């Protein structure tokens, strides 16, 4: 009798637990956000980063927190995502912060700067090197909370209609180039153009521009640049490890329950890691296909690289002298970069050098 009573009580306990879990979940609010991406849907890697994040948020909250992703141009043009988030037109955005260096060059540090950090170093600076604190303080001026949300790895140096062998060959070129690199290129006589991804091909095709950089082989293949500009240069010295960001309106963020904030942060971190891994898988095969299709792979000459490096350092000095926001972040960023370069020269570069040149031939 006592045993039956115990089992009955235990059964009631299990039943009450089964009922209690949904009851607890029901106490969490339903939240529906809109996210404006800067990217076209055709780019499953970079546009897909927002889908990865939104999917994880929904799964982790049992569908209570929903984020609907809109491609560039569906709500606002791709280069107006920051304004849309700042004004609370949308609750969130997925973009590259260097698109907005026209407002303040400091935005570039959240993404990538010429001759700056690679992807691992950028993550190190943001997550554990003090970079996030600096950038959060800066973004606060725009009513935004920022989260790392993807990385492409070192990008390519662009597609050109003609070969570029000397610094002199750069003069007068109209080039689509994102971020702060345009200011550096101006010192070499290039005429920079800021054009959203979906508009680059027609601009190249019509001759509105002479050259364009976007990301790397996988995305560039999808956008078919090789059909209208066959010379493919490397490396993209202005994007050693460009961070793609999730931007969240601060009022929308503050209104979230603490648990939802934690889920959002974790989902953004997952999207950050996932994007880089996808690019590292997809780029090698895409490069092979591009070359087989007629793309002419070319390295930038040492003279061009050195000229660009010197131009970048001069541009930084000029900006720091007139922009206190830039100066504050630049001093911290450049010191961190110097330490990272010293360390990577010892371990990473030594290993990479052997894997490239030192393996004995069979």
């Amino acid at each position: 009798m006592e045993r039956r009573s115990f089992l009955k009580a235990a059964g009631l306990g299990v039943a009450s637990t089964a009922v209690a879990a949904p009851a607890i979940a029901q106490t969490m609010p339903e939240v529906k956000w809109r996210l404006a991406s800067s990217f076209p849907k055709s780019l499953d890697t970079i546009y897909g980063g927002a889908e990865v994040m939104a999917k994880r948020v929904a799964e982790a909250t049992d569908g209570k927190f929903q984020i609907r992703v809109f491609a560039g141009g569906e709500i606002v043009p791709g280069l107006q995502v920051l304004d849309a988030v700042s004004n609370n037109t949308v609750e969130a955005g997925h973009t590259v912060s260097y698109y907005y260096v026209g407002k303040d060059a400091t935005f570039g540090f959240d993404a990538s700067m010429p001759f700056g950090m690679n992807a691992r170093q950028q993550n190190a600076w943001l997550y554990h090197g003090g970079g996030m604190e600096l950038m959060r303080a800066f973004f606060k001026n725009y009513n935004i909370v920022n989260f790392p949300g993807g990385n492409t790895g070192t990008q390519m140096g662009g597609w050109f209609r003609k070969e570029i062998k000397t610094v002199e060959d750069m003069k007068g070129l109209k080039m689509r180039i994102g971020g702060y690199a345009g200011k550096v290129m101006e010192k070499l006589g290039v005429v920079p153009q800021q054009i959203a991804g979906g508009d680059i091909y027609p601009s190249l095709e019509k001759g509105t521009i002479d050259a364009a950089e976007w990301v790397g082989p996988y995305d560039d293949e999808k956008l078919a640049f090789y059909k209208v500009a066959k010379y493919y240069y490397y490396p993209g010295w202005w994007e050693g490890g460009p961070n793609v960001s999730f931007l969240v309106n601060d009022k929308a963020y503050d209104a979230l329950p603490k648990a939802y904030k934690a889920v959002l942060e974790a989902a953004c971190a997952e999207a950050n890691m996932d994007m880089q891994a996808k690019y590292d898988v997809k780029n090698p095969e895409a490069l092979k296909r591009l070359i087989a299709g007629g793309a002419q792979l070319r390295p930038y000459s040492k003279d061009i690289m050195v000229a660009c490096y010197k131009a970048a350092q001069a541009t930084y000095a000029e900006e720091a002298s007139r922009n206190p926001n830039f100066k504050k972040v630049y001093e911290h960023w450049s010191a961190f970069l110097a330490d990272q370069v010293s360390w990577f020269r010892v371990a990473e570069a030594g290993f990479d050098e052997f894997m490239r040149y030192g393996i004995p031939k069979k």
Side-chain angles (χ1 to χ4, degrees):
M1 184 69 178
E2 290 179 1
R3 182 172 179 272
R4 286 198 299 271
S5 298
F6 172 78
L7 291 174
K8 183 178 180 182
L12 287 172
V14 171
S16 65
T17 301
V19 171
I24 291 170
Q26 288 169 12
T27 65
M28 300 301 285
E30 289 191 0
V31 176
K32 293 185 178 181
W33 279 8
R34 297 189 304 168
L35 181 149
S37 172
S38 284
F39 316 111
K41 289 182 179 179
S42 60
L43 302 180
D44 58 298
T45 41
I46 197 163
Y47 172 83
E51 294 183 315
V52 168
M53 184 274 286
K55 183 174 183 288
R56 182 63 70 214
V57 166
E59 290 174 344
T61 60
D62 199 24
K64 292 284 188 178
F65 187 3
Q66 297 278 345
I67 301 175
R68 185 178 176 188
V69 179
F70 293 85
E74 290 185 339
I75 297 180
V76 295
L79 300 182
Q80 293 180 20
V81 168
L82 182 136
D83 289 336
V85 177
S86 180
N87 298 331
N88 209 12
T89 301
V90 293
E91 290 82 5
H94 194 218
T95 189
V96 188
S97 296
Y98 60 42
Y99 288 159
Y100 313 104
V101 293
K103 295 178 182 291
D104 190 316
T106 312
F107 278 112
F109 293 110
D110 184 59
S112 185
M113 296 293 271
F115 298 99
M117 300 178 195
N118 65 26
R120 277 181 55 187
Q121 294 163 350
Q122 182 74 8
N123 275 330
W125 182 64
L126 288 170
Y127 283 123
H128 295 292
M132 185 71 80
E133 291 82 356
L134 286 167
M135 295 314 302
R136 283 271 172 93
F138 174 72
F139 272 103
K140 190 174 182 179
N141 298 321
Y142 296 85
N143 309 316
I144 286 172
V145 181
N146 61 303
F147 297 89
N151 205 300
T152 67
T154 302
Q155 294 192 2
M156 293 293 284
W159 297 88
F160 292 76
R161 290 180 174 277
K162 64 178 184 179
E163 286 192 85
I164 305 297
K165 297 180 178 180
T166 68
V167 176
E168 190 68 24
D169 292 336
M170 307 286 283
K171 292 182 179 179
L173 280 178
K174 297 187 295 293
M175 182 177 183
R176 185 276 173 194
I177 184 164
Y180 201 63
K183 292 180 179 292
V184 176
M185 285 289 206
E186 281 183 312
K187 289 187 177 297
L188 304 182
V190 173
V191 182
Q193 309 287 315
Q194 185 84 291
I195 303 172
D199 299 325
I200 298 173
Y201 182 90
S203 297
L204 270 174
E205 186 179 37
K206 294 173 185 175
T208 307
I209 55 177
D210 305 304
E213 62 82 31
W214 178 238
V215 175
Y218 182 70
D219 286 350
D220 291 0
E221 181 186 32
K222 281 178 172 290
L223 296 179
F225 300 143
Y226 65 95
K227 294 181 179 180
V228 287
K230 70 177 181 178
Y231 295 104
Y232 198 22
Y233 278 82
Y234 68 91
W237 45 263
W238 50 90
E239 294 183 280
N243 172 62
V244 185
S245 290
F246 289 109
L247 306 183
V248 178
N249 179 269
D250 57 4
K251 289 185 174 61
Y253 180 74
D254 291 342
L256 290 176
K258 185 177 180 180
Y260 286 8
K261 290 179 179 177
V263 167
L264 177 65
E265 183 174 2
C268 289
E270 180 181 348
N272 186 22
M273 177 197 70
D274 184 75
M275 185 186 294
Q276 175 75 80
K278 283 178 180 172
Y279 274 115
D280 285 342
V281 168
K282 294 176 181 293
N283 276 332
E285 291 302 318
L287 182 59
K288 291 177 185 177
R289 292 192 297 269
L290 286 169
I291 293 172
Q296 301 293 307
L297 192 62
R298 298 284 190 274
Y300 280 124
S301 69
K302 184 175 180 180
D303 286 347
I304 289 176
M305 291 291 287
V306 169
C308 290
Y309 180 83
K310 290 179 178 178
Q313 304 313 307
T315 306
Y316 288 149
E318 292 167 6
E319 189 70 40
S321 70
R322 61 175 176 260
N323 183 340
N325 287 329
F326 185 94
K327 184 175 187 291
K328 179 180 179 181
V329 179
Y330 173 65
E331 289 178 349
H332 185 278
W333 175 89
S334 58
F336 187 87
L337 173 61
D339 285 343
Q340 290 290 297
V341 169
S342 293
W343 159 238
F344 272 65
R345 184 182 293 124
V346 172
E348 302 292 332
F351 177 75
D352 290 346
E353 188 76 5
F354 177 80
M355 293 302 291
R356 185 177 180 184
Y357 297 115
I359 296 177
K361 296 184 184 296
K362 293 181 180 180

